[in-house]
Amino acid sequence: MAKVQKHSVFIDMTAMSDVTVLLLTFFMLTSTFLPLEPVRVTAPASVMEIKVPDYNVINILVDLQGKVFVNIDRTEVRLEALEKMSDEYGITLDDRQKKAFLEQPYIGVPMNRLPAFLDLPFGEQDATMRQYGIPNDSTNNQFINWIRKAREIDSEMKITIKADQTTPYPLIESVMKDLVKIKANRYSLVTVLRGAPEGF
C-alpha cells in the first residue's frame, strides 16, 4: 500500500490581521472615556436600563459625607464658567493655572482656595480636593453658581447625579433641592444595572 505524502498547510493570516487592526482602531476612535473621579463611589443598583447622556453633560458627584464635585465635560464651557466664577468671587488666575484647571476633570474646591490648588502638582490635587468639595451650604452655595454659570453658557447641557449607595438620602436631597432652586429640574441619577459588576 502506497503512503500518501503529507503536505504542510499554509494559511495566509494577512487579511485577518488587517481586520483585527481595523476593528481595534475603530473601537479606540469611537470610545468615550469617563473622567477620573476624585472619590470612589459605588452607585446603587437599579433595574432601569436607560443610557445616561455622555456628551454636553454636567456630572455631579456626591461622596459619603455629602461633599460635592462637578465635572463639566466640554472644555470651552468649563473655561468660560471659570472666568465668570473668577469675576464673581474676585479671583485672578494666570494662563498656567487655567491650563491646570482644564486638565483636572472635576471641580472640587472653594473659589478662594482655587489658585493655590491649581499650583499643586497634578498628582497631589485629588487628595487635596477630597478634603474640600464645592461649598453648597445656605451661606455659601458655590455649587449652585457653577451649575448656573454652565447652563447660562449652554442651556442644553444635561445633568447627571452620581452618589454612593450608602450616602444618606438627605445629603442627596439637598443637592436635588439646589438644582430645583435654579430651575434645573431635569437630571439623571446614575445607577448600576442590577446584576452588573460593581465599579461601573
Side-chain angles (χ1 to χ4, degrees):
M1 185 173 164
K3 278 188 173 181
V4 177
Q5 191 175 5
K6 292 185 177 178
H7 296 286
S8 61
V9 179
F10 173 74
I11 300 173
D12 186 2
M13 295 296 289
T14 307
M16 184 65 75
S17 299
D18 289 346
V19 169
T20 304
V21 171
L22 286 171
L23 283 172
L24 183 62
T25 305
F26 170 77
F27 288 123
M28 286 173 58
L29 293 175
T30 57
S31 296
T32 54
F33 296 96
L34 296 173
L36 185 66
E37 296 174 345
V39 291
R40 181 171 172 77
V41 298
T42 303
S46 166
V47 293
M48 294 294 290
E49 194 174 351
I50 299 170
K51 191 176 184 313
V52 294
D54 56 7
Y55 177 71
N56 202 30
V57 183
I58 301 168
N59 298 296
I60 301 166
L61 188 65
V62 186
D63 77 358
L64 291 167
Q65 290 76 41
K67 292 188 188 113
V68 179
F69 307 88
V70 172
N71 165 266
I72 302 168
D73 73 338
R74 285 178 44 214
T75 306
E76 66 276 14
V77 177
R78 277 172 63 81
L79 187 57
E80 194 173 337
L82 173 66
E83 288 167 356
K84 287 174 179 274
M85 287 292 285
S86 299
D87 289 344
E88 183 170 331
Y89 288 91
I91 303 296
T92 304
L93 299 173
D94 59 31
D95 289 340
R96 186 184 50 76
Q97 290 169 323
K98 288 177 184 177
K99 184 174 183 289
F101 177 81
L102 294 177
E103 288 171 356
Q104 174 59 252
Y106 275 84
I107 305 159
V109 294
M111 285 302 295
N112 64 338
R113 295 187 179 272
L114 190 59
F117 170 79
L118 295 173
D119 287 336
L120 292 171
F122 187 79
E124 294 177 24
Q125 289 181 1
D126 279 351
T128 304
M129 190 186 300
R130 281 192 286 272
Q131 298 172 16
Y132 297 106
I134 301 174
N136 65 331
D137 55 65
S138 56
T139 58
N140 181 20
N141 201 325
Q142 295 178 21
F143 163 67
I144 279 183
N145 287 341
W146 276 110
I147 304 298
R148 182 185 286 127
K149 299 285 186 286
R151 285 174 61 87
E152 283 171 3
I153 297 161
D154 185 350
S155 61
E156 297 300 312
M157 291 199 85
K158 308 292 186 289
I159 296 174
T160 67
I161 301 173
K162 183 178 181 182
D164 195 272
Q165 60 188 356
T166 58
T167 302
Y169 178 72
L171 299 177
I172 302 163
E173 184 184 32
S174 171
V175 170
M176 293 190 289
K177 283 180 176 176
D178 283 343
L179 293 175
V180 170
K181 284 177 193 171
I182 57 171
K183 296 184 172 44
N185 299 321
R186 297 190 61 157
Y187 46 83
S188 302
L189 296 174
V190 177
T191 59
V192 175
L193 189 62
R194 187 163 287 154
E198 285 189 9
F200 170 74

